[in-house]
Amino acid sequence: MTEDPYVVHRSLLFTVAYEMLGSAADAEDVLQESWLRWADVDRAQVRDPRAYLVRIVTRQALNRLRTVARSRVDYVGEWLPEPLLTSPDVAEDVELAESVSIALLTVLETLGPTERAVFVLREVFDMPYGEIAEAVGKSAGAVRQIARRAREHVAARRPRTKVSRSEQRTVVERFLAALRTGQVQELMEVLAPDVVLIADGGGVAAAALAPVHGADLVAALLARPDRTVSTVWLNGAPAGRVEVDGRLAAVSLVVEDGRVTRIHAVANPRKLTRLDEPAELAR
């Protein structure tokens, strides 16, 4: 079994499904469905098992994405991707870390299912247009146009400023230290004036139902000392694990010019099941 191509490429397949869906639970379901289809394939007819498996996973993920897209319309409050605990090694692959970042996955939510699939397969995994066309059921020419539109759409919405890993970690540590004390002034010093807080409680945990804008409002909302804060690696970047009165939240940050410009806080307990064991990701 260990030599079966599905087992060999499982980390890659999970990463493809997760980036398309933003949900580890949905990605695991897609992998189970894909395994059942792979088990029925005549392996002698498969020239490139890796590409074949990616096509299976892409088709299953597209089916799942179209289904969950309808349910997310009725989601209570803001919908954020499911955070994954990752090892610091993931950050060594800069492109992989960026592709699974909460910030980028949130932007990908604004794409249609086919656009998202094409963007992920082309921009993250550098698949040839012909292979992507087979996976999504379009012509290669159509896929090229979809890829261009998706690339422009994402470029207009993703964080514009890239920071070094050391600066990202320094600012994250400053923010988490201020979060531990719960002091408004300490929080204000690390927050950008136009910072945005987006929280996901899913109607299950207490969370703002709409984005909160501005350092004053965000700092006032976060200023409470009775919490436990620790640094963890989430989705390839340093982030925070926060516990308040036995309730857990995962906090990911976007940093620009030495300050926090965007805070993604996931408190929905259904999305916090992957914080104890690092996910295995691969490109």
Side-chain angles (χ1 to χ4, degrees):
M1 277 296 294
T2 56
E3 295 182 356
D4 187 284
Y6 177 92
V7 177
V8 172
H9 298 298
R10 192 183 190 287
S11 295
L12 163 70
L13 301 176
F14 174 81
T15 307
V16 171
Y18 174 70
E19 291 193 19
M20 284 184 59
L21 293 160
S23 164
D26 287 332
E28 291 289 1
D29 287 345
V30 162
L31 260 61
Q32 288 296 321
E33 294 163 2
S34 299
W35 163 251
L36 294 175
R37 282 158 178 74
W38 172 246
D40 289 335
V41 170
D42 180 359
R43 312 295 169 81
Q45 302 300 314
V46 179
R47 289 179 298 174
D48 185 344
R50 180 182 183 274
Y52 193 95
L53 283 163
V54 169
R55 285 201 297 273
I56 294 176
V57 167
T58 298
R59 288 168 185 161
Q60 296 307 309
L62 269 173
N63 292 339
R64 178 59 62 94
L65 190 57
R66 290 171 180 133
T67 299
V68 300
R70 291 190 287 271
S71 66
R72 288 177 189 175
V73 171
D74 300 322
Y75 194 79
V76 177
E78 297 291 315
W79 191 95
L80 288 175
E82 182 179 346
L84 295 179
L85 183 69
T86 53
S87 69
D89 293 344
V90 171
E92 299 292 337
D93 185 336
V94 176
E95 291 184 3
L96 175 60
E98 184 177 357
S99 72
V100 297
S101 70
I102 295 295
L104 180 60
L105 292 174
T106 302
V107 173
L108 295 187
E109 282 296 310
T110 63
L111 291 171
T114 301
E115 288 179 315
R116 183 166 184 167
V118 170
F119 180 89
V120 167
L121 295 178
R122 181 62 185 173
E123 298 301 313
V124 179
F125 298 97
D126 198 28
M127 281 183 60
Y129 288 111
E131 288 187 19
I132 299 174
E134 289 186 47
V136 301
K138 302 282 185 181
S139 69
V143 164
R144 286 180 182 274
Q145 295 206 11
I146 293 169
R148 177 183 54 77
R149 290 197 304 269
R151 193 162 46 243
E152 291 173 353
H153 180 97
V154 171
R157 290 162 177 78
R158 74 196 311 173
R160 294 186 180 349
T161 305
K162 290 188 177 182
V163 299
S164 67
R165 289 175 56 198
S166 60
E167 181 183 355
Q168 174 82 14
R169 182 153 195 173
T170 297
V171 176
V172 169
E173 291 290 2
R174 284 180 57 210
F175 172 82
L176 295 179
L179 205 58
R180 288 186 189 97
T181 67
Q183 297 297 312
V184 171
Q185 187 55 43
E186 292 184 20
L187 286 164
M188 290 289 291
E189 289 173 0
V190 73
L191 297 176
D194 58 350
V195 64
V196 179
L197 167 65
I198 302 173
D200 178 346
V204 181
L209 296 178
V212 180
H213 296 262
D216 290 343
L217 290 176
V218 171
L221 188 63
L222 297 178
R224 51 177 299 175
D226 55 335
R227 56 164 66 97
T228 301
V229 181
S230 57
T231 304
V232 292
W233 285 83
L234 298 179
N235 295 68
R241 178 185 175 119
V242 181
E243 294 184 56
V244 182
D245 299 329
R247 298 188 301 274
L248 180 63
V251 179
S252 297
L253 307 173
V254 175
V255 173
E256 297 179 33
D257 299 323
R259 290 194 170 189
V260 175
T261 58
R262 190 167 290 255
I263 303 168
H264 296 108
V266 179
N268 184 345
R270 296 167 186 159
K271 294 186 177 183
L272 300 174
T273 62
R274 302 292 294 246
L275 300 186
D276 294 320
E277 183 177 351
E280 295 185 10
L281 304 175
R283 283 198 302 142

